[in-house]
Amino acid sequence: MNDADVSKQIQQMVRFILQEAEEKANEISVSAEEEFNIEKLQLVEAEKKKIRQEYERKEKQVDVRKKIEYSMQLNASRIKVLQAQDDVVNSMKEAASKELLNVSHDHHVYKRLLKDLIVQSLLRLKEPAVLLRCRKDDLHLVQSVLDSAAQEYSEKANVHTPEIIVDNKIFLPPAPSLHNAHGSSCSGGVVLASRDGKIVFENTLDARLDVVFRKKLPEIRKWLCGQVVA
């Protein structure tokens, strides 16, 4: 092989090496560009995710705020209803109280009522012997109806006439008045207890006031249902 042939081979080898190097360079360039595009896409997706999460968070905040506002409006409506109910309750209770107090001031009506209260109490207790307490001012009225009340109970319960001991040392509080406006008071009635004191039945006009009032509660509900809360 002469020098010309050697030179030609060397040139071919150089061209081959340069071509191979250029192809490798192109491959590296394409690979780098792909990696760059992937990184860019990941950044875009991350940003989109961030924006979506922020939107959802704000949407939840709006939803919570709406719920709070609705709850506040509902509570305001409930407060108005309760206030209206309180007004009705107080007026009706005051009216019922006046009715019962008028009864206690009517001597003959109150005497009959005392007898009924004693009979009712005996029927509740169903004890052969009981202790009875009343207001000091009512003592003579209670004693005047005691025998007939015991007899009526005996006939209704089909039992022997019970022993009724009237307490003449400890009395129920006096009737309400301006003089004892802040003290304890009793509008009338009786309290009966078993001899051992384990069973006590309060049958005063104050207790009956609650009973009378509870009977009127359906009227209150009916009245409230007809109200339009603004």
Side-chain angles (χ1 to χ4, degrees):
M1 183 180 294
N2 55 32
D3 292 341
D5 293 334
V6 172
S7 177
K8 189 175 180 180
Q9 283 185 347
I10 291 172
Q11 288 177 359
Q12 288 176 347
M13 289 177 65
V14 169
R15 280 198 302 269
F16 176 77
I17 292 169
L18 289 173
Q19 186 179 353
E20 191 176 24
E22 187 176 351
E23 289 175 357
K24 289 286 184 184
N26 289 334
E27 287 178 6
I28 292 170
S29 177
V30 170
S31 178
E33 187 175 352
E34 287 177 352
E35 288 180 5
F36 173 76
N37 289 335
I38 291 171
E39 289 178 2
K40 189 175 180 181
L41 185 62
Q42 288 174 342
L43 287 172
V44 170
E45 288 297 326
E47 189 64 25
K48 283 168 64 178
K49 185 178 180 181
K50 184 179 178 182
I51 292 169
R52 186 166 57 251
Q53 289 176 342
E54 183 67 16
Y55 172 77
E56 290 174 355
R57 186 179 66 81
K58 288 184 178 180
E59 194 175 42
K60 286 180 181 178
Q61 286 179 345
V62 171
D63 189 45
V64 170
R65 188 161 59 248
K66 284 181 179 178
K67 286 181 180 178
I68 292 171
E69 288 174 357
Y70 174 74
S71 179
M72 289 174 68
Q73 290 174 356
L74 190 63
N75 287 337
S77 299
R78 284 174 179 167
I79 289 170
K80 287 183 180 180
V81 170
L82 290 174
Q83 287 174 342
Q85 184 178 4
D86 285 343
D87 292 341
V88 176
V89 165
N90 291 332
S91 63
M92 293 186 73
K93 201 161 188 177
E94 186 178 348
S97 178
K98 286 179 180 178
E99 288 175 13
L100 290 175
L101 284 174
N102 289 334
V103 168
S104 67
H105 290 153
D106 187 319
H107 181 80
H108 297 291
V109 174
Y110 183 52
K111 185 177 178 178
R112 290 197 303 271
L113 179 59
L114 274 175
K115 179 184 173 182
D116 291 340
L117 293 176
I118 293 170
V119 173
Q120 187 183 55
S121 301
L122 290 170
L123 288 168
R124 284 291 186 91
L125 290 177
K126 295 180 180 177
E127 292 284 322
V130 296
L131 176 69
L132 183 150
R133 283 178 180 165
C134 62
R135 297 187 307 188
K136 192 172 184 177
D137 292 342
D138 295 341
L139 190 58
H140 67 290
L141 288 176
V142 168
Q143 290 173 336
S144 68
V145 300
L146 205 57
D147 290 341
S148 59
Q151 184 63 36
E152 185 177 332
Y153 162 71
S154 175
E155 292 172 359
K156 286 185 175 180
N158 196 25
V159 296
H160 293 294
T161 304
E163 179 187 5
I164 304 175
I165 302 168
V166 179
D167 194 336
N168 56 9
K169 293 182 180 179
I170 301 174
F171 300 97
L172 299 181
S177 68
L178 295 175
H179 301 292
N180 70 334
H182 300 292
S184 59
S185 63
C186 176
S187 300
V190 293
V191 173
L192 271 69
S194 57
R195 288 292 294 273
D196 57 11
K198 290 183 178 179
I199 306 172
V200 179
F201 180 64
E202 179 185 350
N203 210 3
T204 64
L205 291 188
D206 302 288
R208 288 177 68 82
L209 172 61
D210 290 332
V211 174
V212 171
F213 179 66
R214 281 198 296 273
K215 288 179 180 178
K216 293 184 178 181
L217 279 177
E219 297 175 18
I220 294 174
R221 295 192 192 98
K222 186 177 178 181
W223 182 87
L224 285 172
C225 287
Q227 301 301 301
V228 178
V229 180

